[in-house]
């Protein structure tokens, strides 16, 4: 089970790179080189982040991307939802149909608590807090 998929990981790495100089435009090529992410892949990720209003882009020789939102307001949970959807530990599916025991299932009740704990933790992690962690090392 992967909690964070490749798209989310790449998006976070790109956002961390962009956040190092939040008011300056940085090119997708530069992000690709620094983070070791394939250029076409990072371009696709950045397009999604532009569409979601997290970053803005500018074309031309001095162009690139930069943050539209301050790092304190960009939460890990928001990036996960953009690239993966809602956090679900179990979908309670059986042979492509919703399980009939869902409402009485003891495991389901526990899994919902686990999901909520994960969501709460991810809500508390911001881009700024990740940058602070990097700077402490």
């Amino acid at each position: 089970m992967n909690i964070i998929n490749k798209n989310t990981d790449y998006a976070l790495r790109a956002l961390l790179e962009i956040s190092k100089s939040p008011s300056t435009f940085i090119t997708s090529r530069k992000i690709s080189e620094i983070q070791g992410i394939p250029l076409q892949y990072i371009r696709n990720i950045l397009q999604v982040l532009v569409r979601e209003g997290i970053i803005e882009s500018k074309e031309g020789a001095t162009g690139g991307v930069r943050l539209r939102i301050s790092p304190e307001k960009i939460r890990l949970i928001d990036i996960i939802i953009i690239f993966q959807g809602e956090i679900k530990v179990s979908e309670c599916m059986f042979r492509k149909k919703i399980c009939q025991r869902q409402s009485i299932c003891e495991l389901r009740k526990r899994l919902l608590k686990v999901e909520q704990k994960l969501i709460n933790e991810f809500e508390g992690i911001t881009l700024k807090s990740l940058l602070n962690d990097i700077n402490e090392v």
Side-chain angles (χ1 to χ4, degrees), residues 102-135:
Q102 184 174 342
S103 63
I104 59 169
C105 178
E106 289 304 317
L107 178 58
R108 173 83 177 136
K109 291 174 187 173
R110 293 282 180 114
L111 291 177
L112 288 173
K113 289 178 183 178
V114 170
E115 285 174 9
Q116 193 55 55
K117 286 179 183 181
L118 274 173
I119 290 167
N120 292 344
E121 282 296 316
F122 290 151
E123 285 176 340
I125 299 172
T126 64
L127 204 54
K128 179 72 173 168
S129 69
L130 292 173
L131 283 170
N132 290 342
D133 291 349
I134 290 170
N135 293 331

Side-chain angles (χ1 to χ4, degrees), residues 16 22 31 36 47 55 59 89 93 105 130:
L16 286 169
I31 296 169
Q47 285 176 354
I55 61 174
E59 293 185 21
V89 176
M93 299 291 280
C105 178
L130 292 173

Side-chain angles (χ1 to χ4, degrees), residues 60-118:
T62 60
V65 294
R66 70 177 178 189
L67 292 180
R68 263 188 97 211
I69 301 173
S70 66
E72 302 86 25
K73 294 182 181 176
I74 300 172
R75 302 176 309 164
L76 176 55
I77 191 71
D78 300 324
I79 306 306
I80 291 171
I81 290 170
I82 289 168
F83 289 97
Q84 298 176 215
E86 298 290 330
I87 292 177
K88 295 288 179 203
V89 176
S90 174
E91 293 189 52
C92 295
M93 299 291 280
F94 183 71
R95 295 186 181 162
K96 299 182 183 179
K97 294 181 183 176
I98 295 178
C99 177
Q100 299 297 317
R101 297 183 39 79
Q102 184 174 342
S103 63
I104 59 169
C105 178
E106 289 304 317
L107 178 58
R108 173 83 177 136
K109 291 174 187 173
R110 293 282 180 114
L111 291 177
L112 288 173
K113 289 178 183 178
V114 170
E115 285 174 9
Q116 193 55 55
K117 286 179 183 181
L118 274 173

Side-chain angles (χ1 to χ4, degrees), residues 13-82:
R13 288 168 50 192
L15 286 168
L16 286 169
E17 200 58 49
I18 295 166
S19 296
K20 290 177 182 175
S21 300
S23 60
T24 306
F25 284 96
I26 183 172
T27 66
S28 56
R29 184 172 304 282
K30 182 94 171 171
I31 296 169
S32 170
E33 290 169 2
I34 294 169
Q35 290 294 324
I37 301 169
L39 182 58
Q40 191 54 46
Y41 211 108
I42 198 60
R43 284 182 175 156
N44 291 337
I45 296 290
L46 294 175
Q47 285 176 354
V48 173
L49 293 171
V50 167
R51 193 169 47 246
E52 292 293 328
I54 305 234
I55 61 174
E56 61 183 327
S57 65
K58 176 182 161 187
E59 293 185 21
T62 60
V65 294
R66 70 177 178 189
L67 292 180
R68 263 188 97 211
I69 301 173
S70 66
E72 302 86 25
K73 294 182 181 176
I74 300 172
R75 302 176 309 164
L76 176 55
I77 191 71
D78 300 324
I79 306 306
I80 291 171
I81 290 170
I82 289 168

